Amino acid sequence: MKADVKLPHYLRIKTDLQNRILSGDLAPGERLPSEAELSQEFGVSISTIKRAVAALVSDHLLDRTPGRGTFVTRPQSAGTEVPLRSFQEETRARGLMPGSKLLTWQVIQAHGELAWQLDLPEGSEVYFIRSLKMAESVPVALEEAYVPCAFCPDLLQQDLEVYPIERLLEDRHRLAILKASEYIQARLATPEEAALLGAQGEQLVLLVADRTVEGVGRQRVEYVRTLYRADRYILRFQLRRFAGASDERGELA
């Protein structure tokens, strides 16, 4: 099932620059080095740099100003959206090494709630991909992803332990992922879930995040349910009364 796939140069550069921004090495309002300077630093073509920078602009971490250059964005104000990242991207942004182990990958038929979540006719074929997510080789979450087969006929032939599904949809199948809605609730893990997450015999609390991912024209391209160990994943909120910045995100404990 696996192919020897490496992350493209632009994704590695995007991750490097993203880490500099999130760590404060590149401060809000600071001008990004020129494309020529970054090309020399990373030893790649300017077109590769352009693609990495475009991805960061799409994530609202950089902002292009015609005639002036590209700058690190200011903290987001209340009511704005936070970047949409995969588990791998979010983990790297925290300075940790992500890992993934495939547990299940198959084609199933969408019925009931699943068909509704993906806005598909009853009985439509979708990929079901279940994987164990890790940070620094420590189990952190179980991810259950559902993708309509019509969008990517060869999805199961790709290395899903290396490539985030979202990146495969964008890079290989040219699907534009624009936004997602996510809802989080807490519940106790089943014995099977606890065992997979390394807590066999323990009463484990999970944070369950249900995410519906949309593309152009509100087309639903993916539905993901991620079950986080509550003792290893913290929800952090920064709130201000009336005016000012607001932010919310998850962190690995």
Side-chain angles (χ1 to χ4, degrees):
M1 297 297 297
K2 295 184 182 180
D4 184 15
V5 179
K6 295 182 180 179
L7 285 176
H9 290 307
Y10 89 93
L11 277 183
R12 292 200 293 271
I13 294 167
K14 173 186 181 286
T15 299
D16 186 291
L17 294 175
Q18 177 178 283
N19 288 340
R20 295 185 199 181
I21 294 169
L22 295 175
S23 68
D25 287 344
L26 286 170
E30 184 176 344
R31 189 179 185 277
L32 192 72
S34 70
E35 292 172 351
E37 291 171 326
L38 290 173
S39 174
Q40 184 174 7
E41 176 185 347
F42 289 103
V44 298
S45 67
I46 287 181
S47 63
T48 299
I49 296 298
K50 286 180 180 291
R51 195 171 182 190
V53 170
L56 291 167
V57 171
S58 179
D59 282 351
H60 305 293
L61 294 175
L62 294 176
D63 182 47
R64 285 197 182 102
T65 303
R68 292 187 59 220
T70 303
F71 297 83
V72 178
T73 56
R74 297 288 180 181
Q76 296 175 326
S77 59
T80 59
E81 296 177 343
V82 297
L84 171 59
R85 300 191 182 103
S86 66
F87 176 86
Q88 288 92 326
E89 292 168 332
E90 187 67 30
T91 304
R92 286 195 182 95
R94 306 298 170 198
L96 301 173
M97 179 60 67
S100 183
K101 179 183 178 182
L102 284 180
L103 302 175
T104 306
W105 58 103
Q106 64 187 52
V107 175
I108 64 173
Q109 291 186 335
H111 293 285
E113 181 187 358
L114 178 58
W116 177 80
Q117 291 284 5
L118 288 170
D119 194 22
L120 292 173
E122 288 281 330
S124 297
E125 290 190 334
V126 301
Y127 295 114
F128 170 54
I129 300 158
R130 191 185 196 205
S131 54
L132 179 65
K133 300 300 182 183
M134 293 165 282
E136 300 294 340
S137 301
V138 177
V140 172
L142 287 170
E143 183 180 275
E144 300 169 351
Y146 302 85
V147 181
C149 293
F151 292 150
C152 40
D154 64 346
L155 183 64
L156 297 186
Q157 298 172 25
Q158 308 306 313
D159 190 346
L160 300 173
E161 292 185 348
V162 172
Y163 258 134
I165 293 174
E166 293 85 355
R167 285 301 178 193
L168 283 169
L169 295 177
E170 290 176 323
D171 298 343
R172 186 175 181 86
H173 299 283
R174 302 290 185 253
L175 285 172
I177 292 178
L178 300 182
K179 64 178 181 177
S181 298
E182 186 168 284
Y183 299 89
I184 300 174
Q185 60 182 334
R187 68 166 172 82
L188 292 176
T190 66
E192 181 205 12
E193 292 165 348
L196 288 170
L197 289 167
Q200 190 166 6
E202 301 179 30
Q203 193 172 56
L204 183 66
V205 177
L206 299 176
L207 294 175
V208 182
D210 286 305
R211 174 183 290 186
T212 304
V213 184
E214 293 186 359
V216 177
R218 290 188 166 181
Q219 186 178 49
R220 295 184 180 178
V221 299
E222 185 185 19
Y223 171 62
V224 186
R225 173 169 289 171
T226 308
L227 293 75
Y228 296 97
R229 285 190 59 147
D231 58 341
R232 292 180 181 169
Y233 194 84
I234 301 169
L235 284 174
R236 175 169 59 87
F237 298 87
Q238 292 181 344
L239 305 171
R240 291 187 182 182
R241 189 170 178 85
F242 304 121
S246 171
D247 184 29
E248 63 179 88
R249 64 184 63 185
E251 286 190 348
L252 300 173

